[in-house]
Amino acid sequence: TLKGVFYQRARLIHPQEDLLKGIHSDDRKHHIIINVGGIKYLLPWTTLDEFPLTRLGQLKFCNNFDDILNICDDYDVTCNEFFFDRNPGAFRTILTFLRVGKLRLLREMCALSFQEELLYWGIEEDNLDWCCKRRYLQKMEEFTEMNERDDDLLENEIPGETVEETKFGLCMKKLQDMVERPQSGLPGKVFACLSVLFVTITAVNLSISTMPDLREEEERGECSQMCYNIFIVESVCVAWFSLEFLLRFIQAKSKFAFLRRPLTLIDIIAILPYYITLLVDTTSVGYKKPSSGNIYLDKVGLVLRILRALRILYVMRLARHSLGLQTLGLTARRCTREFGLLLLFLCVAIALFAPLLYVVENEMADSQEFTSIPACYWWAVITMTTVGYGDMVPRSIPGQVVALSSILSGILLMAFPVTSIFHTFSRSYIELKQEQERIMYR
Protein backbone atom coordinates (compact mmCIF):
# COMPACT_ATOMS: atom_id res chain seq x y z
CA THR A 1 0.00 0.00 0.00
CA LEU A 2 1.08 3.60 -0.58
CA LYS A 3 2.29 5.65 2.35
CA GLY A 4 -0.30 8.03 3.73
CA VAL A 5 -3.34 6.34 2.17
CA PHE A 6 -5.03 5.74 5.54
CA TYR A 7 -4.32 9.33 6.57
CA GLN A 8 -5.87 10.67 3.38
CA ARG A 9 -9.05 8.60 3.73
CA ALA A 10 -9.67 9.57 7.37
CA ARG A 11 -7.57 11.21 10.06
CA LEU A 12 -7.99 12.04 13.72
CA ILE A 13 -8.29 15.72 14.65
CA HIS A 14 -6.44 16.54 17.84
CA PRO A 15 -8.25 18.62 20.49
CA GLN A 16 -5.77 21.50 20.30
CA GLU A 17 -6.10 21.81 16.53
CA ASP A 18 -8.03 24.89 15.33
CA LEU A 19 -10.53 23.72 12.75
CA LEU A 20 -11.45 27.14 11.40
CA LYS A 21 -7.81 28.01 10.66
CA GLY A 22 -6.64 24.60 9.62
CA ILE A 23 -9.39 23.95 7.05
CA HIS A 24 -10.00 26.46 4.27
CA SER A 25 -13.45 27.23 2.93
CA ASP A 26 -12.78 25.36 -0.29
CA ASP A 27 -11.68 22.31 1.66
CA ARG A 28 -15.00 22.23 3.51
CA LYS A 29 -16.71 21.40 0.25
CA HIS A 30 -14.53 18.33 -0.13
CA HIS A 31 -14.13 17.29 3.52
CA ILE A 32 -16.47 16.74 6.44
CA ILE A 33 -15.80 16.51 10.16
CA ILE A 34 -17.31 13.57 12.03
CA ASN A 35 -17.64 14.06 15.78
CA VAL A 36 -18.40 10.80 17.59
CA GLY A 37 -18.73 11.17 21.34
CA GLY A 38 -16.34 14.14 21.41
CA ILE A 39 -13.62 12.61 19.19
CA LYS A 40 -13.35 14.29 15.78
CA TYR A 41 -12.26 12.85 12.46
CA LEU A 42 -11.66 14.52 9.11
CA LEU A 43 -13.04 12.54 6.16
CA PRO A 44 -13.00 13.42 2.45
CA TRP A 45 -16.29 12.93 0.65
CA THR A 46 -14.52 10.49 -1.64
CA THR A 47 -14.07 8.10 1.29
CA LEU A 48 -17.82 7.88 1.74
CA ASP A 49 -18.52 7.40 -1.97
CA GLU A 50 -17.64 3.71 -1.64
CA PHE A 51 -20.23 3.20 1.12
CA PRO A 52 -23.39 4.99 -0.07
CA LEU A 53 -25.77 2.75 1.91
CA THR A 54 -24.18 3.44 5.29
CA ARG A 55 -25.35 6.19 7.64
CA LEU A 56 -22.29 8.31 6.85
CA GLY A 57 -22.65 7.71 3.11
CA GLN A 58 -26.22 9.07 3.22
CA LEU A 59 -24.95 12.46 4.39
CA LYS A 60 -23.94 13.28 0.83
CA PHE A 61 -27.55 13.03 -0.33
CA CYS A 62 -28.96 15.41 2.32
CA ASN A 63 -30.35 18.63 0.78
CA ASN A 64 -31.53 20.53 3.86
CA PHE A 65 -30.98 20.85 7.59
CA ASP A 66 -33.87 18.53 8.52
CA ASP A 67 -32.48 15.70 6.41
CA ILE A 68 -29.13 16.07 8.14
CA LEU A 69 -30.67 15.92 11.62
CA ASN A 70 -32.52 12.74 10.65
CA ILE A 71 -29.13 11.08 10.21
CA CYS A 72 -26.95 12.71 12.88
CA ASP A 73 -27.68 14.21 16.31
CA ASP A 74 -26.34 17.73 15.64
CA TYR A 75 -24.72 19.76 12.85
CA ASP A 76 -22.37 22.74 12.89
CA VAL A 77 -22.65 24.73 9.65
CA THR A 78 -19.55 26.88 10.27
CA CYS A 79 -17.05 24.02 10.04
CA ASN A 80 -19.26 21.37 8.40
CA GLU A 81 -19.16 19.18 11.53
CA PHE A 82 -21.60 16.32 12.08
CA PHE A 83 -22.09 15.13 15.66
CA PHE A 84 -23.08 11.55 16.58
CA ASP A 85 -23.85 10.66 20.18
CA ARG A 86 -22.41 7.14 19.98
CA ASN A 87 -19.63 5.11 21.57
CA PRO A 88 -16.30 6.51 20.31
CA GLY A 89 -14.49 3.24 21.07
CA ALA A 90 -16.80 1.23 18.84
CA PHE A 91 -16.46 3.80 16.06
CA ARG A 92 -12.80 2.88 15.71
CA THR A 93 -13.80 -0.37 14.06
CA ILE A 94 -16.19 1.53 11.77
CA LEU A 95 -13.40 3.95 10.86
CA THR A 96 -11.08 1.05 10.02
CA PHE A 97 -13.78 -0.32 7.76
CA LEU A 98 -14.11 3.05 5.98
CA ARG A 99 -10.36 3.25 5.54
CA VAL A 100 -9.42 -0.22 4.31
CA GLY A 101 -12.71 -2.08 3.98
CA LYS A 102 -11.88 -4.54 6.79
CA LEU A 103 -14.31 -4.94 9.68
CA ARG A 104 -12.87 -6.34 12.88
CA LEU A 105 -14.38 -7.23 16.26
CA LEU A 106 -12.50 -5.89 19.26
CA ARG A 107 -12.01 -8.39 22.08
CA GLU A 108 -12.96 -5.90 24.75
CA MET A 109 -16.25 -5.05 23.01
CA CYS A 110 -19.54 -6.77 23.80
CA ALA A 111 -20.91 -8.65 20.80
CA LEU A 112 -24.42 -7.31 21.42
CA SER A 113 -23.17 -3.71 21.58
CA PHE A 114 -21.18 -4.30 18.42
CA GLN A 115 -24.32 -5.56 16.68
CA GLU A 116 -26.17 -2.41 17.73
CA GLU A 117 -23.34 -0.24 16.38
CA LEU A 118 -23.41 -2.08 13.04
CA LEU A 119 -27.17 -1.56 12.79
CA TYR A 120 -26.82 2.13 13.63
CA TRP A 121 -24.06 2.84 11.12
CA GLY A 122 -25.73 0.70 8.44
CA ILE A 123 -22.96 -1.83 7.99
CA GLU A 124 -23.76 -5.49 7.31
CA GLU A 125 -22.37 -8.31 9.44
CA ASP A 126 -21.15 -10.11 6.32
CA ASN A 127 -18.33 -7.57 6.06
CA LEU A 128 -16.68 -9.11 9.12
CA ASP A 129 -13.48 -11.01 8.46
CA TRP A 130 -13.80 -14.78 8.84
CA CYS A 131 -11.74 -14.92 12.06
CA CYS A 132 -13.85 -12.29 13.79
CA LYS A 133 -17.12 -13.49 12.26
CA ARG A 134 -16.77 -16.95 13.81
CA ARG A 135 -16.22 -15.46 17.27
CA TYR A 136 -19.05 -12.97 16.73
CA LEU A 137 -21.55 -15.66 15.70
CA GLN A 138 -20.53 -17.85 18.65
CA LYS A 139 -21.15 -14.95 21.04
CA MET A 140 -24.53 -14.22 19.49
CA GLU A 141 -25.55 -17.90 19.72
CA GLU A 142 -24.69 -17.91 23.41
CA PHE A 143 -26.66 -14.70 23.89
CA THR A 144 -29.64 -16.24 22.07
CA GLU A 145 -29.49 -19.31 24.34
CA MET A 146 -29.45 -17.08 27.42
CA ASN A 147 -32.43 -15.11 26.09
CA GLU A 148 -34.39 -18.31 25.46
CA ARG A 149 -33.69 -19.55 28.99
CA ASP A 150 -34.70 -16.17 30.41
CA ASP A 151 -37.91 -16.18 28.35
CA ASP A 152 -38.79 -19.66 29.57
CA LEU A 153 -38.08 -18.58 33.12
CA LEU A 154 -40.26 -15.49 32.79
CA GLU A 155 -43.09 -17.51 31.25
CA ASN A 156 -42.93 -19.93 34.14
CA GLU A 157 -42.60 -17.23 36.80
CA ILE A 158 -45.16 -14.73 35.52
CA PRO A 159 -48.33 -16.57 34.56
CA GLY A 160 -51.45 -14.78 33.45
CA GLU A 161 -53.59 -12.87 35.91
CA THR A 162 -56.60 -15.09 35.24
CA VAL A 163 -54.61 -18.13 36.29
CA GLU A 164 -53.21 -16.45 39.39
CA GLU A 165 -56.67 -15.60 40.68
CA THR A 166 -57.78 -19.24 40.90
CA LYS A 167 -56.77 -21.74 43.56
CA PHE A 168 -55.69 -24.16 40.85
CA GLY A 169 -53.25 -21.57 39.51
CA LEU A 170 -51.78 -21.01 42.97
CA CYS A 171 -51.36 -24.75 43.47
CA MET A 172 -49.63 -25.15 40.11
CA LYS A 173 -47.34 -22.22 40.94
CA LYS A 174 -46.33 -23.81 44.24
CA LEU A 175 -45.87 -27.19 42.54
CA GLN A 176 -43.67 -25.62 39.90
CA ASP A 177 -41.53 -23.89 42.53
CA MET A 178 -41.13 -27.17 44.41
CA VAL A 179 -40.06 -29.39 41.48
CA GLU A 180 -38.17 -26.88 39.31
CA ARG A 181 -36.64 -24.32 41.70
CA PRO A 182 -35.08 -25.77 44.86
CA GLN A 183 -34.03 -22.27 45.96
CA SER A 184 -37.65 -21.11 46.12
CA GLY A 185 -38.22 -22.38 49.66
CA LEU A 186 -38.20 -25.29 52.07
CA PRO A 187 -40.44 -27.62 49.97
CA GLY A 188 -38.16 -27.23 46.96
CA LYS A 189 -35.04 -27.96 49.02
CA VAL A 190 -36.62 -31.05 50.60
CA PHE A 191 -37.78 -32.29 47.18
CA ALA A 192 -34.30 -31.83 45.70
CA CYS A 193 -32.62 -33.56 48.66
CA LEU A 194 -34.98 -36.53 48.36
CA SER A 195 -34.30 -36.77 44.64
CA VAL A 196 -30.54 -36.83 45.18
CA LEU A 197 -30.93 -39.34 48.04
CA PHE A 198 -32.95 -41.78 45.93
CA VAL A 199 -30.47 -41.50 43.07
CA THR A 200 -27.65 -42.37 45.48
CA ILE A 201 -29.62 -45.31 46.90
CA THR A 202 -30.30 -46.57 43.37
CA ALA A 203 -26.61 -46.45 42.42
CA VAL A 204 -25.62 -48.36 45.59
CA ASN A 205 -28.43 -50.86 45.10
CA LEU A 206 -27.37 -51.49 41.51
CA SER A 207 -23.79 -52.12 42.62
CA ILE A 208 -24.88 -54.60 45.29
CA SER A 209 -27.11 -56.48 42.84
CA THR A 210 -24.06 -57.42 40.74
CA MET A 211 -22.32 -59.34 43.55
CA PRO A 212 -21.32 -62.90 42.55
CA ASP A 213 -23.64 -64.60 45.06
CA LEU A 214 -26.68 -62.73 43.79
CA ARG A 215 -25.70 -63.43 40.19
CA GLU A 216 -25.53 -67.15 40.91
CA GLU A 217 -28.96 -67.05 42.54
CA GLU A 218 -30.35 -65.26 39.50
CA GLU A 219 -28.91 -67.87 37.14
CA ARG A 220 -30.43 -70.68 39.23
CA GLY A 221 -33.78 -68.88 39.26
CA GLU A 222 -33.75 -68.47 43.04
CA CYS A 223 -34.35 -65.37 45.17
CA SER A 224 -33.01 -65.13 48.71
CA GLN A 225 -34.05 -62.59 51.33
CA MET A 226 -31.30 -60.20 50.26
CA CYS A 227 -32.41 -60.42 46.64
CA TYR A 228 -35.96 -59.69 47.74
CA ASN A 229 -34.82 -56.69 49.79
CA ILE A 230 -32.92 -55.31 46.80
CA PHE A 231 -36.05 -55.63 44.69
CA ILE A 232 -38.10 -53.79 47.33
CA VAL A 233 -35.57 -50.94 47.53
CA GLU A 234 -35.49 -50.66 43.76
CA SER A 235 -39.30 -50.61 43.61
CA VAL A 236 -39.47 -47.80 46.16
CA CYS A 237 -36.87 -45.76 44.25
CA VAL A 238 -38.64 -46.26 40.93
CA ALA A 239 -41.95 -45.29 42.55
CA TRP A 240 -40.38 -42.03 43.72
CA PHE A 241 -38.88 -41.35 40.28
CA SER A 242 -42.23 -42.06 38.64
CA LEU A 243 -43.98 -39.69 41.04
CA GLU A 244 -41.37 -37.02 40.37
CA PHE A 245 -41.79 -37.44 36.62
CA LEU A 246 -45.59 -37.15 36.89
CA LEU A 247 -45.32 -34.00 39.01
CA ARG A 248 -42.97 -32.39 36.51
CA PHE A 249 -45.25 -33.40 33.66
CA ILE A 250 -48.34 -32.00 35.40
CA GLN A 251 -46.82 -28.59 36.13
CA ALA A 252 -45.33 -28.18 32.64
CA LYS A 253 -47.29 -25.70 30.54
CA SER A 254 -46.14 -27.15 27.22
CA LYS A 255 -46.24 -30.94 27.51
CA PHE A 256 -44.59 -31.47 24.14
CA ALA A 257 -41.69 -29.13 24.97
CA PHE A 258 -41.30 -30.87 28.34
CA LEU A 259 -41.01 -34.30 26.70
CA ARG A 260 -38.36 -33.00 24.29
CA ARG A 261 -35.96 -31.89 27.03
CA PRO A 262 -32.77 -33.97 27.32
CA LEU A 263 -33.20 -34.55 31.06
CA THR A 264 -36.78 -35.69 30.52
CA LEU A 265 -35.64 -38.23 27.93
CA ILE A 266 -33.05 -39.50 30.41
CA ASP A 267 -35.79 -39.91 33.03
CA ILE A 268 -37.95 -41.90 30.62
CA ILE A 269 -35.08 -44.16 29.53
CA ALA A 270 -34.09 -44.75 33.18
CA ILE A 271 -37.62 -45.50 34.48
CA LEU A 272 -39.00 -47.64 31.64
CA PRO A 273 -36.54 -50.59 32.05
CA TYR A 274 -38.00 -51.41 35.48
CA TYR A 275 -41.56 -51.74 34.16
CA ILE A 276 -40.39 -53.58 31.05
CA THR A 277 -38.44 -55.99 33.26
CA LEU A 278 -41.53 -56.68 35.34
CA LEU A 279 -43.55 -57.29 32.18
CA VAL A 280 -40.92 -59.64 30.74
CA ASP A 281 -40.58 -61.54 34.04
CA THR A 282 -44.32 -62.14 34.20
CA THR A 283 -44.55 -63.30 30.57
CA SER A 284 -41.44 -65.51 30.53
CA VAL A 285 -42.65 -68.24 32.86
CA GLY A 286 -40.15 -71.02 33.32
CA TYR A 287 -37.12 -68.89 32.64
CA LYS A 288 -34.21 -69.96 34.85
CA LYS A 289 -30.89 -68.94 33.38
CA PRO A 290 -29.51 -67.40 30.21
CA SER A 291 -27.85 -70.60 28.92
CA SER A 292 -30.94 -72.81 29.17
CA GLY A 293 -30.70 -73.98 25.57
CA ASN A 294 -33.92 -72.24 24.56
CA ILE A 295 -33.20 -69.50 22.03
CA TYR A 296 -36.25 -67.48 23.11
CA LEU A 297 -35.25 -67.63 26.78
CA ASP A 298 -31.67 -66.71 25.93
CA LYS A 299 -32.90 -63.59 24.15
CA VAL A 300 -35.16 -62.75 27.06
CA GLY A 301 -32.23 -63.04 29.45
CA LEU A 302 -30.13 -60.76 27.25
CA VAL A 303 -32.93 -58.17 27.19
CA LEU A 304 -33.23 -58.32 30.97
CA ARG A 305 -29.51 -57.83 31.50
CA ILE A 306 -29.41 -54.88 29.11
CA LEU A 307 -32.44 -53.24 30.73
CA ARG A 308 -30.97 -53.65 34.18
CA ALA A 309 -27.73 -52.09 33.03
CA LEU A 310 -29.68 -49.05 31.82
CA ARG A 311 -30.59 -48.30 35.41
CA ILE A 312 -27.23 -46.60 35.74
CA LEU A 313 -28.78 -43.68 33.83
CA TYR A 314 -30.38 -42.66 37.11
CA VAL A 315 -27.05 -41.02 37.93
CA MET A 316 -27.58 -38.58 35.04
CA ARG A 317 -30.58 -37.21 36.91
CA LEU A 318 -28.13 -35.47 39.24
CA ALA A 319 -27.67 -32.91 36.47
CA ARG A 320 -30.92 -31.29 37.60
CA HIS A 321 -29.31 -30.31 40.89
CA SER A 322 -25.62 -30.10 39.97
CA LEU A 323 -24.26 -26.93 38.42
CA GLY A 324 -21.08 -28.75 37.43
CA LEU A 325 -22.92 -31.42 35.42
CA GLN A 326 -25.04 -28.75 33.72
CA THR A 327 -21.85 -26.89 32.81
CA LEU A 328 -20.35 -30.08 31.42
CA GLY A 329 -23.37 -30.68 29.18
CA LEU A 330 -23.46 -27.08 27.97
CA THR A 331 -19.73 -27.16 27.23
CA ALA A 332 -20.05 -30.41 25.27
CA ARG A 333 -22.84 -28.85 23.19
CA ARG A 334 -20.87 -25.68 22.48
CA CYS A 335 -17.55 -27.43 21.75
CA THR A 336 -18.76 -29.86 19.11
CA ARG A 337 -16.42 -28.27 16.57
CA GLU A 338 -13.41 -28.63 18.91
CA PHE A 339 -14.28 -32.25 19.68
CA GLY A 340 -14.64 -32.91 15.97
CA LEU A 341 -11.19 -31.44 15.33
CA LEU A 342 -9.73 -33.59 18.11
CA LEU A 343 -11.20 -36.75 16.60
CA LEU A 344 -10.00 -35.71 13.16
CA PHE A 345 -6.44 -35.17 14.41
CA LEU A 346 -6.42 -38.54 16.16
CA CYS A 347 -7.86 -40.39 13.16
CA VAL A 348 -5.26 -38.93 10.81
CA ALA A 349 -2.42 -39.73 13.18
CA ILE A 350 -3.72 -43.26 13.81
CA ALA A 351 -4.03 -43.87 10.07
CA LEU A 352 -0.39 -42.76 9.74
CA PHE A 353 1.34 -44.56 12.63
CA ALA A 354 -0.54 -47.88 12.56
CA PRO A 355 0.55 -49.00 9.04
CA LEU A 356 4.05 -47.64 9.69
CA LEU A 357 4.47 -49.72 12.84
CA TYR A 358 3.03 -52.79 11.13
CA VAL A 359 5.63 -52.60 8.36
CA VAL A 360 8.50 -51.89 10.76
CA GLU A 361 7.65 -54.67 13.23
CA ASN A 362 7.03 -57.33 10.61
CA GLU A 363 10.18 -56.47 8.67
CA MET A 364 12.59 -55.83 11.56
CA ALA A 365 11.42 -58.05 14.44
CA ASP A 366 8.98 -60.51 12.87
CA SER A 367 6.51 -59.70 15.68
CA GLN A 368 3.66 -62.04 16.47
CA GLU A 369 1.61 -59.30 18.15
CA PHE A 370 1.13 -56.90 15.24
CA THR A 371 -0.51 -59.41 12.94
CA SER A 372 -2.47 -56.90 10.84
CA ILE A 373 -3.01 -53.20 10.33
CA PRO A 374 -6.44 -53.27 12.10
CA ALA A 375 -4.66 -54.75 15.12
CA CYS A 376 -2.18 -51.89 14.91
CA TYR A 377 -5.09 -49.44 14.92
CA TRP A 378 -5.98 -50.62 18.42
CA TRP A 379 -2.35 -50.14 19.51
CA ALA A 380 -2.29 -46.65 18.00
CA VAL A 381 -5.51 -45.63 19.79
CA ILE A 382 -4.23 -46.82 23.18
CA THR A 383 -0.80 -45.26 22.65
CA MET A 384 -1.86 -41.86 21.35
CA THR A 385 -4.43 -41.41 24.11
CA THR A 386 -1.61 -42.13 26.64
CA VAL A 387 -3.48 -45.11 28.14
CA GLY A 388 -0.81 -47.73 27.44
CA TYR A 389 -2.29 -51.12 28.32
CA GLY A 390 0.95 -52.87 27.35
CA ASP A 391 -0.82 -55.73 25.59
CA MET A 392 1.03 -54.91 22.34
CA VAL A 393 4.62 -53.66 22.59
CA PRO A 394 7.07 -52.98 19.72
CA ARG A 395 10.29 -54.99 20.06
CA SER A 396 12.60 -53.49 17.44
CA ILE A 397 14.38 -50.16 17.84
CA PRO A 398 12.71 -48.60 14.76
CA GLY A 399 9.36 -49.75 16.14
CA GLN A 400 10.13 -48.11 19.47
CA VAL A 401 11.04 -44.90 17.66
CA VAL A 402 7.68 -44.99 15.88
CA ALA A 403 5.97 -45.62 19.24
CA LEU A 404 7.77 -42.65 20.80
CA SER A 405 6.72 -40.44 17.89
CA SER A 406 3.09 -41.54 18.23
CA ILE A 407 3.14 -40.86 21.99
CA LEU A 408 4.51 -37.34 21.54
CA SER A 409 2.10 -36.67 18.68
CA GLY A 410 -0.83 -37.86 20.77
CA ILE A 411 0.09 -35.54 23.64
CA LEU A 412 0.42 -32.54 21.32
CA LEU A 413 -2.72 -33.26 19.30
CA MET A 414 -4.85 -33.70 22.40
CA ALA A 415 -3.47 -30.50 23.91
CA PHE A 416 -4.38 -28.27 20.93
CA PRO A 417 -8.16 -27.94 21.50
CA VAL A 418 -7.92 -28.10 25.31
CA THR A 419 -7.45 -24.35 25.75
CA SER A 420 -10.55 -23.51 23.74
CA ILE A 421 -12.60 -26.16 25.57
CA PHE A 422 -11.39 -24.87 28.94
CA HIS A 423 -12.36 -21.28 28.12
CA THR A 424 -15.78 -22.45 26.95
CA PHE A 425 -16.24 -24.45 30.15
CA SER A 426 -15.27 -21.47 32.29
CA ARG A 427 -17.58 -19.13 30.37
CA SER A 428 -20.47 -21.62 30.55
CA TYR A 429 -19.97 -22.07 34.29
CA ILE A 430 -20.08 -18.30 34.86
CA GLU A 431 -23.24 -17.98 32.74
CA LEU A 432 -25.08 -20.78 34.56
CA LYS A 433 -23.98 -19.43 37.93
CA GLN A 434 -25.24 -15.94 37.05
CA GLU A 435 -28.50 -17.44 35.83
CA GLN A 436 -28.87 -19.32 39.10
CA GLU A 437 -28.24 -16.09 41.03
CA ARG A 438 -30.89 -14.30 38.95
CA ILE A 439 -33.39 -17.07 39.76
CA MET A 440 -32.63 -16.77 43.47
CA TYR A 441 -32.94 -12.98 43.27
CA ARG A 442 -36.34 -13.21 41.57
Side-chain angles (χ1 to χ4, degrees):
T1 58
L2 299 177
K3 295 177 66 176
V5 172
F6 292 172
Y7 182 83
Q8 294 174 5
R9 294 182 65 86
R11 72 179 181 89
L12 176 66
I13 299 177
H14 298 284
Q16 65 272 14
E17 186 175 349
D18 192 353
L19 298 178
L20 296 178
K21 294 181 180 179
I23 302 176
H24 299 287
S25 58
D26 294 338
D27 293 338
R28 296 172 192 168
K29 300 178 181 178
H30 303 91
H31 296 77
I32 61 172
I33 297 175
I34 304 298
N35 187 339
V36 181
I39 300 179
K40 301 178 182 181
Y41 303 91
L42 182 66
L43 277 74
W45 282 112
T46 55
T47 300
L48 303 178
D49 289 341
E50 300 180 9
F51 310 98
L53 299 180
T54 62
R55 180 175 288 269
L56 293 178
Q58 294 175 7
L59 291 174
K60 192 171 183 179
F61 304 100
C62 296
N63 298 321
N64 51 55
F65 191 77
D66 293 334
D67 294 340
I68 293 176
L69 291 182
N70 288 331
I71 295 177
C72 62
D73 296 306
D74 200 1
Y75 175 60
D76 188 357
V77 184
T78 57
C79 55
N80 201 23
E81 179 180 345
F82 300 88
F83 176 73
F84 296 88
D85 190 14
R86 302 298 295 184
N87 184 5
F91 186 73
R92 287 184 300 164
T93 59
I94 307 300
L95 188 65
T96 303
F97 177 70
L98 297 177
R99 282 175 165 177
V100 295
K102 293 183 179 295
L103 188 61
R104 303 288 172 84
L105 174 62
L106 300 179
R107 288 189 175 273
E108 63 272 12
M109 185 182 300
C110 173
L112 183 61
S113 300
F114 184 70
Q115 184 187 43
E116 293 176 354
E117 294 295 327
L118 292 181
L119 292 174
Y120 178 81
W121 295 107
I123 298 176
E124 297 182 358
E125 300 174 358
D126 295 337
N127 294 315
L128 275 168
D129 288 353
W130 65 270
C131 55
C132 296
K133 189 173 183 179
R134 178 177 176 272
R135 182 157 49 92
Y136 170 77
L137 294 177
Q138 182 180 2
K139 294 285 186 181
M140 295 307 298
E141 288 177 359
E142 295 175 1
F143 178 75
T144 303
E145 291 178 1
M146 293 179 61
N147 273 347
E148 291 177 354
R149 290 199 296 268
D150 289 342
D151 292 341
D152 294 339
L153 182 62
L154 290 175
E155 288 179 0
N156 294 331
E157 288 187 350
I158 310 177
E161 297 180 355
T162 56
V163 179
E164 282 288 343
E165 294 175 355
T166 62
K167 293 183 179 180
F168 178 76
L170 292 174
C171 293
M172 294 301 294
K173 181 67 169 60
K174 292 180 180 180
L175 178 62
Q176 185 180 26
D177 291 338
M178 183 182 69
V179 300
E180 296 292 346
R181 288 184 287 274
Q183 302 86 2
S184 60
L186 182 60
K189 293 179 181 179
V190 172
F191 188 84
C193 291
L194 287 176
S195 180
V196 174
L197 178 63
F198 277 106
V199 169
T200 306
I201 293 175
T202 301
V204 175
N205 192 55
L206 177 62
S207 301
I208 295 175
S209 64
T210 58
M211 298 296 289
D213 296 339
L214 297 176
R215 294 285 296 174
E216 291 177 1
E217 291 179 2
E218 181 183 355
E219 292 180 358
R220 292 195 303 265
E222 301 176 356
C223 184
S224 63
Q225 183 63 33
M226 186 176 183
C227 177
Y228 181 74
N229 294 335
I230 289 176
F231 175 75
I232 295 299
V233 172
E234 181 184 0
S235 302
V236 173
C237 293
V238 173
W240 167 261
F241 295 142
S242 303
L243 176 62
E244 183 179 352
F245 177 80
L246 290 176
L247 291 178
R248 294 183 186 277
F249 181 77
I250 291 172
Q251 62 84 30
K253 291 186 176 180
S254 177
K255 311 300 182 185
F256 182 72
F258 171 78
L259 294 175
R260 290 178 56 190
R261 294 177 184 174
L263 291 178
T264 304
L265 296 177
I266 291 176
D267 289 344
I268 296 174
I269 296 175
I271 294 173
L272 280 182
Y274 174 81
Y275 296 104
I276 297 176
T277 303
L278 286 181
L279 181 62
V280 172
D281 284 338
T282 54
T283 55
S284 59
V285 181
Y287 168 71
K288 291 187 177 182
K289 58 181 181 179
S291 58
S292 60
N294 191 321
I295 298 177
Y296 171 74
L297 295 180
D298 291 343
K299 292 181 178 180
V300 170
L302 178 62
V303 171
L304 290 177
R305 292 193 296 273
I306 294 176
L307 292 178
R308 287 169 183 169
L310 288 177
R311 289 179 296 178
I312 198 61
L313 292 177
Y314 284 123
V315 181
M316 298 298 296
R317 304 179 82 257
L318 293 175
R320 293 186 182 275
H321 314 287
S322 173
L323 185 63
L325 291 178
Q326 293 176 10
T327 306
L328 181 63
L330 185 59
T331 304
R333 190 173 62 201
R334 290 179 174 177
C335 292
T336 53
R337 183 181 288 107
E338 286 77 7
F339 289 136
L341 288 176
L342 179 60
L343 292 177
L344 177 63
F345 294 159
L346 288 177
C347 290
V348 172
I350 290 169
L352 174 65
F353 286 109
L356 183 61
L357 184 71
Y358 172 75
V359 173
V360 170
E361 282 298 300
N362 281 270
E363 293 294 334
M364 299 292 182
D366 194 17
S367 175
Q368 301 297 323
E369 298 176 352
F370 301 92
T371 56
S372 63
I373 292 181
C376 294
Y377 283 155
W378 168 251
W379 170 87
V381 170
I382 299 304
T383 304
M384 297 196 67
T385 54
T386 67
V387 176
Y389 286 142
D391 52 348
M392 301 171 66
V393 181
R395 305 298 178 183
S396 63
I397 294 179
Q400 294 174 356
V401 172
V402 173
L404 177 62
S405 302
S406 64
I407 293 171
L408 296 178
S409 301
I411 294 174
L412 293 176
L413 293 178
M414 295 185 67
F416 286 154
V418 167
T419 304
S420 177
I421 295 174
F422 170 75
H423 287 303
T424 305
F425 181 87
S426 178
R427 188 169 62 251
S428 302
Y429 178 78
I430 293 174
E431 290 178 5
L432 292 177
K433 191 173 182 180
Q434 291 175 350
E435 181 182 352
Q436 193 177 46
E437 291 176 355
R438 287 198 303 270
I439 294 174
M440 294 178 65
Y441 175 76
R442 287 170 181 170

